[in-house]
Amino acid sequence: AGKWLVAGGMGGWCHAFDCGSTPVPDTEITVYDQVGIVAKVQATKQGVVILNSALRKVNLTKDEGQGPHPLATFFLGHAASNMFWGRKTLANYTPVLFWSGGDIYLYRFSIPNDLAYPRHLAVAVSIRSAAIVDSLLVLSVAKSGLWVYRISPNYTLEFRAQVEVTSEIGLLIDIPSWPSCLAGIQSNQLSRISFVDPVSPHFDTTIILPLEVTDAYVDDSLLYTIGPESTAVWTTASDGSLPVLA
């Protein structure tokens, strides 16, 4: 969020720290302070999005020069512990995903600040991770590999393929410099998955990460992999090559 670091906590608090002048945060601004668990915090082109799983609420904040300030609040009619906020528009909207257990909810976000809910998808087993690449919704499903759906311009879903994997993919990451590809993370392995052919996606290369990864996110050209022991920072090149440990 520009020079601001946003952190969420178990008690429902979410703070913004000014990191522009010194390495130590020197200014604290509360942007969200209601009871409930902050399930996910994500930086997007529209601002910082804060998902509160207990209250089924999404807060959108925007950096206005003095730190992030509340911009909009969206109330969800369902529970959600994870989210994916698209980087690219799809049919003039930014696609947004929320999921919990075997339920995934596809939304479309438009400016000014309208989060519309057009589609719900229920699967029989737990969804481990979800992402959107091109016009495809990709789910990593427990013990069932990857399921691929096409998102039509009116946001209906059409099943396209199921891809078997040797080990369960816990995280699907959208890396902007990878056209028609997602990163799939399995414990300490990172694979590039190509969806050039949506009916037959394939793993084109894999690298071993130095430590176990439990979460990851991309900011600009950097990939952050987070684990119980450390956070690693990787550079992502514009030529679509694999990330390099920075």
Side-chain angles (χ1 to χ4, degrees):
K3 65 175 184 175
W4 300 88
L5 171 68
V6 179
M10 292 295 290
W13 292 87
C14 201
H15 304 282
F17 300 93
D18 182 356
C19 301
S21 56
T22 65
V24 179
D26 55 13
T27 301
E28 182 179 17
I29 300 174
T30 302
V31 295
Y32 186 68
D33 60 358
Q34 295 189 6
V35 176
I37 297 175
V38 174
K40 200 75 173 178
V41 179
Q42 185 175 348
T44 73
K45 290 183 178 179
Q46 290 81 24
V48 175
V49 181
I50 304 159
L51 170 63
N52 183 296
S53 60
L55 295 182
R56 304 185 177 190
K57 180 187 293 187
V58 180
N59 278 45
L60 176 63
T61 70
K62 187 176 182 180
D63 188 352
E64 297 176 344
Q66 299 299 319
H69 294 277
L71 185 65
T73 298
F74 308 106
F75 294 92
L76 306 177
H78 55 79
S81 56
N82 289 281
M83 70 176 170
F84 171 90
W85 198 282
R87 297 178 181 274
K88 300 177 181 178
T89 58
L90 182 62
N92 297 320
Y93 297 100
T94 298
V96 179
L97 301 173
F98 298 100
W99 70 92
S100 182
D103 292 291
I104 190 159
Y105 303 87
L106 173 62
Y107 284 73
R108 53 192 181 196
F109 176 81
S110 63
I111 297 175
N113 309 325
D114 180 26
L115 189 65
Y117 160 55
R119 201 65 55 201
H120 166 241
L121 177 67
V123 299
V125 288
S126 293
I127 298 167
R128 296 292 187 239
S129 188
I132 293 174
V133 56
D134 298 336
S135 61
L136 301 175
L137 165 63
V138 183
L139 306 180
S140 174
V141 182
K143 302 179 181 179
S144 300
L146 300 178
W147 292 3
V148 183
Y149 295 81
R150 179 182 175 272
I151 306 172
S152 69
N154 66 355
Y155 275 59
T156 57
L157 298 172
E158 174 192 355
F159 182 76
R160 299 302 298 271
Q162 180 175 351
V163 184
E164 295 184 0
V165 297
T166 55
S167 60
E168 193 172 281
I169 295 176
L171 292 169
L172 289 168
I173 308 296
D174 174 28
I175 298 180
S177 59
W178 288 5
S180 303
C181 294
L182 292 175
I185 296 180
Q186 305 154 288
S187 183
N188 68 333
Q189 296 184 54
L190 185 148
S191 303
R192 183 168 56 199
I193 312 169
S194 172
F195 292 89
V196 173
D197 182 355
V199 180
S200 183
H202 66 277
F203 292 68
D204 60 6
T205 187
T206 298
I207 60 175
I208 303 299
L209 306 176
L211 294 167
E212 179 187 354
V213 174
T214 56
D215 201 357
Y217 69 93
V218 175
D219 180 29
D220 195 14
S221 61
L222 297 177
L223 167 66
Y224 297 83
T225 55
I226 304 160
E229 299 180 50
S230 71
T231 295
V233 183
W234 305 74
T235 59
T236 60
S238 58
D239 61 3
S241 58
L242 284 171
V244 177
L245 186 61

